[in-house]
Amino acid sequence: MTVTVFIRYQIDPFKRAQFEQYAKRWLAIIPKCGGELIGYFMPHEGTNNIAYGLISFESLAAYEAYRARLRGDADGVANFNFAEEHKFILAEERTFLRKVVA
């Protein structure tokens, strides 16, 4: 069963450009570490402080293996540190979803 991680970010609306840099870095890091990146989505119109990321995995076990690889990846660690240093992510929520099939 495929599992999709739906990440909801509350971001500082005055630091959207920094969040976009952060998201663009994940475009290469996530697939390298084993995630199937569906995409990152930035505020465009309306609410200016909510962004999303969606990543799929074959299973929860595959997600856990991905998280372990991510913690050991130099680029991943650097991107986490970039976010922490610049404080553009105010809150982050993760929901694990499965696709409804007939």
Side-chain angles (χ1 to χ4, degrees), residues 38-54:
I38 296 169
Y40 271 83
F41 301 86
M42 295 287 301
H44 176 69
E45 187 77 24
T47 303
N48 66 355
N49 69 334
I50 302 297
Y52 301 100
L54 285 93

Side-chain angles (χ1 to χ4, degrees), residues 44-99:
H44 176 69
E45 187 77 24
T47 303
N48 66 355
N49 69 334
I50 302 297
Y52 301 100
L54 285 93
I55 312 163
S56 287
F57 301 91
E58 292 177 7
S59 64
L60 283 175
Y63 170 74
E64 291 301 328
Y66 156 82
R67 293 287 293 174
R69 284 190 296 275
L70 196 58
R71 284 190 294 273
D73 183 82
D75 294 329
V77 170
N79 210 26
F80 284 129
N81 290 340
F82 173 73
E84 194 170 290
E85 177 185 341
H86 295 285
K87 300 180 182 357
F88 47 82
I89 298 173
L90 305 176
E92 183 177 324
E93 301 168 3
R94 291 176 188 274
T95 302
F96 294 82
L97 305 170
R98 63 176 173 79
K99 186 175 182 180

